[in-house]
Amino acid sequence: MPELLPSWRDTATRRAIIDFVESVSGDGADAVPIAERIAVFDNDGTLWTEKPMPTQLAYIVEKWAAHAQHDPSLAERQPYRAVAAGDLGWLGAALDKHYAGDDEDLRTMIGALVSLTDGVSVEDYESEVAAFYRDAMHHVLRRPYADVVYQPMLELLRYLEQHGFTCYIVSGGDRDFMRPMTEAAYGIPPERVIGSALGLAYDAEANVVRYGASFSFMDDGPEKPVRIWSRIGRRPLFAGGNSNGDIPMLRFAHSADRPGFSLLIHHDDDTGRGDDPYDKGAERALALASAGRITRVSVKHDWSTVFPPEPAS
């Protein structure tokens, strides 16, 4: 029989996960019917790396740079100014400000994001994103994005599935940007991907669905439980995240009438394995973990490896 969670060290965290899963999938007092064994996971920073910038932002930066090159006047305003100047710190700071409750710069980024897809069909966007995943390399690790997923989290997904769980991705990232890669990377089909969304409209003449000039919703913070319920119709039993924006989802896994489990990935590894340490954007979540309300995963101490092994050259 294969070893359970082989990339997880034998720590209290690993034992807590196994104890919980065995208790809800067994025949004891805490058993939960298979239909109710729902697991939800954030994506960036939870299932794969998000530094120095989320993968989607790397894709968007390429698009913004091309637009600014075609129309130099764009470089007079953000976010094109940051891209043209190579000031990627501005983009990262905008995301940090979002997690701190200030969305002014994020709204600027969203406005520029919408302009990239306005009028594009969903199939054309899917093809373009799939090509990005096929060819693009992580800027720092110099590995394909498919190879910067967290090996321990892949093992956790399979372990949960073996015990009757249905796993979903619930991310602040664009739902349609994730869908082309989730099945190959995580074994999660596109219909089980919940994320932020641009406005959509049906073009009857062309018989296609196209993106519009609006942003529909940001699937982060208190929006996550709402989207989980609207898409799944069930409260999750198991939830995993890594930031303040995941707190409502992590709390939603708990209810008065049955057990629940919340997992917070803490990026604290200073050993040079490729997942640089950071706490920014996760301060409140880490405080809840310290108070015992969430199980904290230490990348440094709980994971024996971070990424899948590199293919032999």
Side-chain angles (χ1 to χ4, degrees), residues 4-252:
L4 297 181
L5 304 177
S7 296
W8 294 71
R9 294 191 173 108
D10 186 16
T11 63
T13 301
R14 179 179 179 274
R15 291 191 294 271
I17 293 170
I18 292 173
D19 288 348
F20 174 79
V21 172
E22 290 186 350
S23 70
V24 298
S25 60
D27 54 8
D30 290 333
V32 175
I34 287 180
E36 298 177 19
R37 295 179 206 164
I38 303 297
V40 295
F41 293 90
D42 173 58
N43 187 35
D44 295 316
T46 300
L47 296 180
W48 69 356
T49 183
E50 67 175 346
K51 296 296 181 180
M53 71 176 81
T55 305
Q56 184 175 6
L57 190 52
Y59 167 81
I60 291 169
V61 163
E62 289 184 6
K63 298 298 178 184
W64 283 338
H67 280 222
Q69 187 173 14
H70 178 73
D71 180 2
S73 68
L74 290 174
E76 298 174 6
R77 56 188 171 89
Q78 296 289 21
Y80 303 99
R81 182 190 306 152
V83 171
D87 179 20
L88 301 185
W90 183 90
L91 303 174
L95 296 176
D96 289 338
K97 287 171 68 175
H98 161 69
Y99 288 124
D102 180 355
D103 283 345
E104 181 180 357
D105 288 345
L106 184 65
R107 283 191 289 269
T108 298
M109 289 174 60
I110 287 173
L113 170 62
V114 168
S115 69
L116 294 178
T117 54
D118 186 14
V120 177
S121 75
V122 291
E123 286 91 352
D124 286 347
Y125 181 62
E126 180 182 35
S127 296
E128 191 171 289
V129 171
F132 169 82
Y133 283 126
R134 184 184 63 241
D135 302 329
M137 303 282 283
H138 188 279
H139 288 191
V140 174
L141 299 175
R142 305 312 305 166
R143 298 180 64 177
Y145 280 103
D147 291 346
V148 294
V149 297
Y150 295 136
Q151 179 65 28
M153 296 304 286
L154 295 181
E155 294 168 4
L156 178 57
L157 291 173
R158 302 290 84 79
Y159 175 64
L160 290 169
E161 290 169 354
Q162 290 163 8
H163 287 78
F165 281 78
T166 302
C167 297
Y168 290 79
I169 292 174
V170 183
S171 172
D174 173 16
R175 171 196 63 208
D176 292 346
F177 182 80
M178 293 183 286
R179 282 176 167 172
M181 57 74 63
T182 59
E183 193 150 28
Y186 308 131
I188 296 179
E191 62 269 20
R192 286 199 254 127
V193 176
I194 302 170
S196 300
L198 298 163
L200 296 170
Y202 175 60
D203 180 344
E205 183 176 352
N207 191 29
V208 297
V209 173
R210 299 188 187 279
Y211 297 101
S214 64
F215 191 80
S216 187
F217 57 85
M218 181 76 173
D219 185 39
D220 198 35
E223 192 70 24
K224 286 198 172 189
V226 172
R227 293 296 157 187
I228 290 169
W229 184 261
S230 65
R231 284 285 303 277
I232 306 172
R234 295 185 185 276
R235 185 186 287 263
L237 186 65
F238 193 108
N242 77 301
S243 72
N244 296 335
D246 295 318
I247 292 173
M249 178 174 74
L250 298 177
R251 292 185 62 223
F252 195 49

Side-chain angles (χ1 to χ4, degrees), residues 281-302:
E283 299 89 347
R284 289 186 287 114
L286 288 167
L288 288 173
S290 295
R293 299 180 184 180
I294 298 171
T295 299
R296 183 180 72 93
V297 175
S298 165
V299 172
K300 181 177 181 178
H301 298 291
D302 290 320

